Amino acid sequence: MLNPGLVLFEEDSRLIDKELKKLNELARAKVSFLVDKDGQLISSMGETGDIDTTSLASLTAGNIAATGGMAKLLGEKEFSILFHEGEKDNIHISLVGQRAILVVVFDDRSSLGLIRLRVKRSVAALAAVFDNLAKKIEKSNAQEGGQSPFQEITEEDIESLFG
Amino acid sequence: MSFINYSAREISCKIVYYGPGLCGKTTNLQHIYKKISPDSKGKMISLATETERTLFFDFLPLALGEIKGFKVRFHLYTVPGQIFYDASRKLILRGVDGVIFVADSQVERMDANLESMENLIKNLKEHGFDLEELPYVIQYNKRDLPNAVSPEELNDALNPRKVPAYDAVAPTGEGVFETLKHVAKLVIMELKQKS
Ligand SMILES: Nc1nc2c(ncn2[C@@H]2O[C@H](COP(=O)(O)OP(=O)(O)OP(=O)(O)O)[C@@H](O)[C@H]2O)c(=O)[nH]1
Ligand SMILES: [Mg+2]
């Protein structure tokens, strides 16, 4: 297969969570989350209680994919920031490198200016985590197969999923 | 692409239902949604027109259980089958791990099936995928209709590689889980091979 899937290890996960938590606090946002461009949720922080983050992740990726398609038609490379303004809540979406999307939901306890500033810093920090991760995966692929938990999967394991 | 999260001990895979307009892709997802217990599924999202044609995609997240201590999630997507939605269709294939091609068994939809199959191959190519190497199964839907073509003829036209093919009647659920289960199995076996 051409593209390897995304693999996240515990220490990267911790770094991402920490950065998101910091962003969410300093930006005075409601929720901040990170989504893989394919639509999978990587991490979320803040008042996530009544939010369906799985659905939001998939729609965010769809949104980015659609605007990316629009950009191409216009001869733009991509729109790296999207902003949706609502009556109470606003959504700020930005690309993190080639792989991820950062989404910040905020209301009038914060402001677009503050969000922009904090997001810019976090995007840089998060991009570094992903660069590191990419390198690490390359290295482990170059060594040997690694010790993935899926090497020993049996037909029965899969059958059991469907009860 | 699959996403393996060692920290949350989760793995997610993306499965896409492809096929011509009105072949029954959305109906497949609706049946799965209806039958799966609430704690194994998330909300089903349908971005559709007023007349219930898929406009961008349907999305249904499933968390069926665990393998080797990892929670296994499948994210099911359908594409819009209508020809003029090609740009959206292409976007949905991003990062796909497995494909279900839903064919409409009715004789008058044979051209539409063939056109959609060619479109699938072309759009996958643009993402750098080769259908021949992807976990992939076919579903011959609408077997209940009197104008359905025989499975042999469908196989001749749409399945030269003889990948697994299932007969289905999506509104009653016939063949729906069989199809999903098979592609899910192929996706997980692929993960195993890659690891
Ligand atoms: N008789 C019969 N009708 C079916 C079957 N499967 C789907 N239908 C009907 O066909 C119509 C279209 O089904 P959808 O699931 O919306 O089709 P789709 O493939 O999602 O169509 P697009 O969104 O336009 O791509 C609906 O009225 C379904 O009830 C089947 O097996 N038999
Ligand atoms: Mg549909």
Side-chain angles (χ1 to χ4, degrees):
Chain A
M1 195 99 354
L2 289 157
N3 301 315
L6 179 63
V7 179
L8 207 60
F9 300 101
E10 267 173 60
E11 57 172 307
D12 312 291
S13 200
R14 253 201 316 275
L15 286 174
I16 289 171
D17 289 353
K18 207 172 122 199
E19 186 59 40
L20 273 190
K21 189 153 182 270
K22 188 170 107 189
L23 166 67
N24 203 66
E25 282 166 17
L26 293 177
R28 283 184 250 136
K30 269 175 106 162
V31 198
S32 302
F33 57 95
L34 197 67
V35 179
D36 169 73
K37 266 195 177 173
D38 300 343
Q40 283 131 354
L41 183 69
I42 298 173
S43 170
S44 59
M45 285 290 158
E47 303 160 29
T48 49
D50 52 351
I51 297 179
D52 179 351
T53 44
T54 307
S55 300
L56 211 48
S58 150
L59 289 171
T60 300
N63 195 341
I64 280 286
T67 45
M70 284 158 66
K72 243 195 218 149
L73 293 178
L74 296 175
E76 275 285 334
K77 204 171 130 252
E78 61 195 355
F79 297 115
S80 54
I81 291 180
L82 306 176
F83 175 58
H84 301 296
E85 195 173 349
E87 263 179 23
K88 290 202 316 280
D89 291 338
N90 314 294
I91 301 188
H92 188 281
I93 303 175
S94 45
L95 290 175
V96 180
Q98 288 306 305
R99 191 84 230 213
I101 307 164
L102 175 62
V103 183
V104 182
V105 181
F106 66 98
D107 56 20
D108 58 13
R109 284 174 289 174
S110 184
S111 69
L112 183 55
L114 178 61
I115 296 289
R116 277 205 179 118
L117 176 77
R118 299 307 331 180
V119 160
K120 205 168 164 188
R121 292 189 186 175
S122 290
V123 162
L126 290 167
V129 176
F130 279 97
D131 280 349
N132 227 330
L133 184 63
K135 277 189 208 124
K136 195 154 51 178
I137 288 170
E138 225 166 73
K139 215 165 103 194
S140 81
N141 283 349
Q143 282 165 1
E144 21 65 79
Q147 66 299 40
S148 156
F150 307 109
Q151 271 167 358
E152 267 131 54
I153 290 178
T154 61
E155 293 256 336
E156 292 82 72
D157 288 332
I158 302 174
E159 283 294 325
S160 74
L161 278 184
F162 288 86
Chain B
M1 294 315 299
S2 59
F3 170 30
I4 305 176
N5 189 334
Y6 281 89
S7 168
R9 299 193 79 70
E10 271 180 14
I11 136 169
S12 323
C13 310
K14 176 171 180 175
I15 292 172
V16 174
Y17 286 75
Y18 212 92
L22 297 177
C23 68
K25 302 175 290 298
T26 298
T27 311
N28 263 270
L29 255 65
Q30 283 166 340
H31 179 78
I32 295 164
Y33 183 78
K34 209 166 62 193
K35 288 293 165 188
I36 280 206
S37 76
D39 49 331
S40 303
K41 70 187 176 198
K43 212 183 272 157
M44 176 164 164
I45 289 183
S46 290
L47 302 179
T49 66
E50 304 256 304
T51 54
E52 308 219 334
R53 303 296 299 269
T54 303
L55 179 65
F56 195 2
F57 58 79
D58 299 301
F59 169 67
L60 174 59
L62 301 179
L64 295 180
E66 289 193 353
I67 291 185
K68 304 273 174 245
F70 278 69
K71 189 180 250 186
V72 183
R73 296 180 183 278
F74 290 104
H75 288 177
L76 312 186
Y77 285 84
T78 74
V79 300
Q82 295 183 82
I83 291 169
F84 57 89
Y85 288 136
D86 193 44
S88 308
R89 213 159 28 238
K90 204 179 304 172
L91 298 175
I92 309 305
L93 287 176
R94 197 200 139 93
V96 66
D97 293 297
V99 175
I100 294 170
F101 184 87
V102 181
D104 190 325
S105 297
Q106 299 178 89
V107 60
E108 62 268 33
R109 296 301 284 163
M110 281 310 278
D111 285 345
N113 288 329
L114 285 164
E115 196 176 337
S116 177
M117 181 68 83
E118 275 168 29
N119 179 257
L120 167 63
I121 292 169
K122 175 179 133 281
N123 281 340
L124 281 173
K125 237 181 222 145
E126 295 196 20
H127 286 283
F129 291 121
D130 182 349
L131 183 58
E132 309 234 335
E133 288 169 14
L134 216 55
Y136 161 55
V137 302
I138 300 184
Q139 178 184 82
Y140 299 134
N141 191 33
K142 306 205 181 179
R143 294 311 302 164
D144 59 319
L145 294 177
N147 51 346
V149 176
S150 76
E152 293 73 39
E153 268 176 88
L154 285 161
N155 255 327
D156 281 345
L158 298 168
N159 193 8
R161 246 175 78 211
K162 302 278 174 288
V163 299
Y166 289 90
D167 286 354
V169 183
T172 66
E174 192 186 318
V176 168
F177 275 100
E178 289 82 351
T179 318
L180 172 63
K181 198 166 156 177
H182 202 124
V183 85
K185 207 185 252 182
L186 294 177
V187 166
I188 293 175
M189 291 321 262
E190 178 79 23
L191 266 180
K192 174 180 168 169
Q193 236 147 50
K194 277 195 291 186
S195 70

